Amino acid sequence: MAAALLCGIGLLPWLSRTDPARTVLEARSAERDPAPDVLAAVRDELGLDAGPAHLLGQWLGGLPRGDAGHSWVSGGAVLPDVATALGASLLLMAAALTVAVATAAAVCARTLVLGARRGLAGRRTGGAAAMLAALPEFLTASLLATVVGVQLGWLPALGWYGPRWLVLPALAIGLPTGALLGRMLDDALPGAFAEPWARAATARGVPGRRVARHALRRCLPGLLPNLGLFVVGLTGGAVAVEQIFDIPGLGRLTLQAALAQDLPVLQTGTLALVALAAAVSGLARLAGRALLGPALRDGALASPHRDTAPGRGGLPLLYGALLLAVIGLGLARDPLAVDTAARLEAPSWAHPFGTDALGRDLLARVGHGALTTLALALAVSAAALLAGVVLGLVPRVSAALVDTANAVPAVLAGLLVTGVTGGGPATPALAVAAVAWAPLAAHTSALLRQERATTHLTATRALGAGRAHVLRRVLLPAVLPPVARHALLRLPSVALALASLGFLGLGAQPPSPEWGLLLAENHPYAERAPWAVLAPAAMLAVLGALAVTAAGGVRWPRPGRARRGDGAPATPGVREEAG
C-alpha cells in the first residue's frame, strides 16, 4: 500500500497535466519570468526529462543509504528537514493528545459517576460535546490566538520557541479531538455497566469507583484503533493550526511540498506518516489484547451491545427545527447581492447574521450554502459508512488499507484526486470519501474482534447456526448501531472538510456560499467582525448537536421480539441465540 501511494505521488505532476518545472520555478521565485530557456534549465537541473519512473527509482535507491534526495525548491537535504518537522509535529501531537484525553475524561465523567451508582437508566446525552467536536480547528486556533495571545497577552500566539508556545495550538487541536473521543467512549460505557460482571460486582459490594475503572478498561479496546488514527491525524493533518501559529510541522511541510510539487519532500513526508501509522496501529492492537487479557483468546467476553429502547426525541427535534428555520429564512434572501455601503455590518433586523466584507447578507449565504454542503456531506458520510462497515468486516484485508488511508491528509488526497479526475465540483467529495471510511472501518474491526470472542456467539454456533445467521442475528446487531452513531458524529467534520477543499481550489469556487468557504473568506475579519465567522461555525455546531442527539435512536431492528406472559417486552439485551 505504501508503494502504491508513493507511486501515485510520484506521478502527481504528470497526472495533473501541469509542468512541474513551472510549478517549481513559481515556488522558488514567483516574480521570475517562466521563459522557455529558464524552464528548460529547471528541467535539466531536476532531471524531469528522464520521466517519473526514473525519478522515483532514484529516490528509492537512496533511502537505504539514508539519502532522501534534495528539495527541488530549496535545494537542501530532504531527510534532515523532514526529521525536524516530524519532531515538531510529534511534540505538538503529544501535547494535543494530553488535552484530548483530559477533554474526553470530562465528557464521559458523568456517565462514569452514574454508572458507578447504577443510575444510568433513562439517561440522555446532550449535544455540548458534539458542538465542541464540530468546531473547525482553524477557527478555534484563530480565536485562541486573537483573544488569549494578542488581546489578553497571556500566552504567545506565534512561533515555536518553547513550552509556552505549545499551549494554544495544543488546545486548538486537542479540544475537538477530545470531544469526539469522549462521545465515542460515552456511547460505549452504558453497555459495559450493563454486563453481568458489573451487576455481580455491585451486588457483591465492590466499590463503585472500582467498577467504573473496570468498565473504562472494558471499553478502551474498542476505541484504541481510532485513538491510533487520531495520533497519526494529529501529526500530519494539523495543517491549518500549524499555519496559523507558524509551527514548522510535518503537515505544513507536506502541504507546501504538495502545492509546489516538490516530490522528494512530499514522498519522504508521506513515507514518514505511513510508517508512523503502521507503528501506532500495531501498538494499538497489542494494547487492546493486553487490556482484554485471556478473555479475548478464550471467547469468554460478554457482548456490550444492548437492545435498549430509544429515548425521547425532544432535543433532535429542537436542533432540527433550528437548522431548518435558518435554512428557510436564508433561502428567501439573495446570497449574491452586493452592497458595499453595508460592509461588515453587525447583526440587525435587516441582516440577522450581519454582512460580510462585500456587504452580502450572511443569513442568505448560510441558508443557500446549507443545501450543497449538507447534501454532499450526507452522501459522503453514507458512502463512508457503507465502505467502513464492509471493509471492517474483513479486517485481514482492510488493516493495511486503513493505515495507509489514515496517513494521507485530506488536502493531499484532494490533490491526488484532482490529478486523476482533472478537478471539478465532485473532487472534494471523492477526496474526503477516499479517507473518511478509515475510522469507521477501524471501529468496525475492533467491535467485531470483541463480538467474535463472546460466550453467546459460541453458544449460537454450538446450536448449529450458520455463518449467514451469525452475521445477520449476532454480529451486525452488535457492530452496526455504534458505528452508525460514530458516522453521525463525524458528519459535521465531513461537511467542513468538503468545503475547505473547495476553498483550496479543488472544487467549488467563490462566490459559492458553502459553509467552509464562508469560514475561510471571513476569517481575516474575525477580530473586526466576529459574527462573520461565528454564523457558519454556529450552524456547524448545531449540525453536530443534531447528529449526536439523533444518533441515540439508531438501533438494530428486531421484529417479532419475544414477549413475557404479562405482555411486557422481554428483558433488553437477552438474545434468543444465547438462550
Side-chain angles (χ1 to χ4, degrees):
M1 293 305 304
L5 178 61
L6 293 175
C7 289
I9 293 174
L11 293 172
L12 181 60
W14 290 268
L15 290 174
S16 58
R17 292 173 292 278
T18 59
D19 186 358
R22 179 184 292 271
T23 307
V24 171
L25 182 64
E26 292 176 353
R28 289 178 176 178
S29 177
E31 299 177 355
R32 191 170 181 182
D33 182 28
D37 57 333
V38 176
L39 294 179
V42 173
R43 292 192 193 94
D44 184 64
E45 175 192 350
L46 302 179
L48 296 177
D49 293 334
H54 174 76
L55 293 173
L56 181 61
Q58 188 178 25
W59 176 78
L60 289 174
L63 288 181
R65 305 190 304 269
D67 180 16
H70 291 76
S71 170
W72 288 359
V73 175
S74 67
V78 170
L79 202 57
D81 291 343
V82 171
T84 303
L86 179 60
S89 291
L90 289 176
L91 184 59
L92 177 60
M93 177 270 293
L97 198 59
T98 303
V99 175
V101 170
T103 305
V107 169
C108 63
R110 182 169 177 264
T111 301
L112 286 171
V113 172
L114 292 178
R117 297 174 181 174
R118 309 299 298 173
L120 282 175
R123 174 182 168 272
R124 292 290 298 174
T125 56
M131 289 185 174
L132 182 59
L135 288 178
E137 288 181 354
F138 73 86
L139 177 61
T140 308
S142 300
L143 292 176
L144 289 174
T146 302
V147 177
V148 180
V150 177
Q151 295 182 353
L152 299 178
W154 291 348
L155 291 167
L158 193 67
W160 187 253
Y161 305 107
R164 295 181 68 245
W165 281 262
L166 193 63
V167 177
L168 292 183
L171 289 173
I173 301 174
L175 287 176
T177 302
L180 183 58
L181 280 174
R183 277 296 305 125
M184 293 174 62
L185 182 59
D186 195 67
D187 182 62
L189 280 171
F193 279 114
E195 289 185 358
W197 67 264
R199 296 195 299 267
T202 303
R204 184 74 175 178
V206 175
R209 290 183 178 179
R210 187 176 179 185
V211 175
R213 186 169 66 250
H214 284 284
L216 187 62
R217 177 181 177 179
R218 175 67 180 89
C219 295
L220 281 179
L223 298 181
L224 281 175
N226 269 279
L227 183 60
L229 298 183
F230 276 118
V231 168
V232 181
L234 292 177
T235 305
V239 181
V241 176
E242 291 178 355
Q243 290 276 25
I244 291 172
F245 290 102
D246 195 23
I247 299 173
L250 186 59
R252 182 183 177 189
L253 179 67
T254 305
L255 174 62
Q256 293 173 348
L259 295 177
Q261 295 187 351
D262 191 352
L263 294 188
V265 176
L266 181 57
Q267 289 168 337
T268 307
T270 304
L271 183 61
L273 287 175
V274 172
L276 178 65
V280 171
S281 176
L283 291 175
R285 293 189 183 98
L286 291 176
R289 293 175 182 175
L291 285 173
L292 291 176
L296 183 65
R297 181 194 64 222
D298 299 337
L301 289 176
S303 174
H305 169 65
R306 289 295 178 268
D307 186 17
T308 55
R312 293 171 295 178
L315 283 177
L317 292 177
L318 176 63
Y319 294 130
L322 178 60
L323 193 61
L324 289 177
V326 170
I327 294 174
L329 292 174
L331 290 177
R333 299 166 176 255
D334 186 0
L336 302 178
V338 176
D339 183 5
T340 55
R343 295 176 63 251
L344 298 177
E345 282 192 354
S348 61
W349 286 109
H351 304 287
F353 283 0
T355 61
D356 64 4
L358 296 178
R360 296 174 295 190
D361 185 74
L362 282 174
L363 177 59
R365 294 184 65 75
V366 169
H368 283 265
L371 296 179
T372 303
T373 303
L374 296 184
L376 206 56
L378 286 172
V380 171
S381 297
L385 175 61
L386 178 61
V389 171
V390 171
L391 291 174
L393 291 176
V394 284
R396 292 184 179 180
V397 176
S398 63
L401 285 169
V402 169
D403 294 341
T404 307
N406 185 64
V408 180
V411 174
L412 179 56
L415 293 173
L416 291 173
V417 172
T418 302
V420 176
T421 64
T427 297
L430 293 174
V432 176
V435 296
W437 61 270
L440 303 178
H443 196 188
T444 301
S445 297
L447 295 177
L448 181 68
R449 189 181 304 113
Q450 295 185 55
E451 196 67 22
R452 282 176 171 171
T454 54
T455 53
H456 78 269
L457 180 61
T458 304
T460 303
R461 287 173 172 167
L463 292 173
R467 291 185 176 180
H469 178 87
V470 169
L471 178 65
R472 186 179 70 255
R473 300 297 299 273
V474 180
L475 297 180
L476 285 180
V479 169
L480 195 55
V483 176
R485 291 192 289 269
H486 183 186
L488 278 174
L489 191 60
R490 287 185 175 271
L491 178 62
S493 61
V494 169
L496 180 67
L498 289 168
S500 299
L501 287 175
F503 177 73
L504 292 175
L506 303 178
Q509 298 291 318
S512 173
E514 284 185 312
W515 288 356
L517 288 176
L518 298 184
L519 287 168
E521 288 173 349
N522 295 301
H523 176 260
Y525 311 99
E527 187 174 357
R528 177 184 172 188
W531 55 84
V533 292
L534 289 178
M539 289 300 98
L540 276 172
V542 171
L543 176 62
L546 172 62
V548 72
T549 51
V554 176
R555 299 177 302 136
W556 183 263
R558 287 183 174 273
R561 292 175 58 195
R563 291 183 173 269
R564 298 186 312 206
D566 57 359
T571 303
V574 177
R575 293 174 169 79
E576 307 104 67
E577 295 89 352

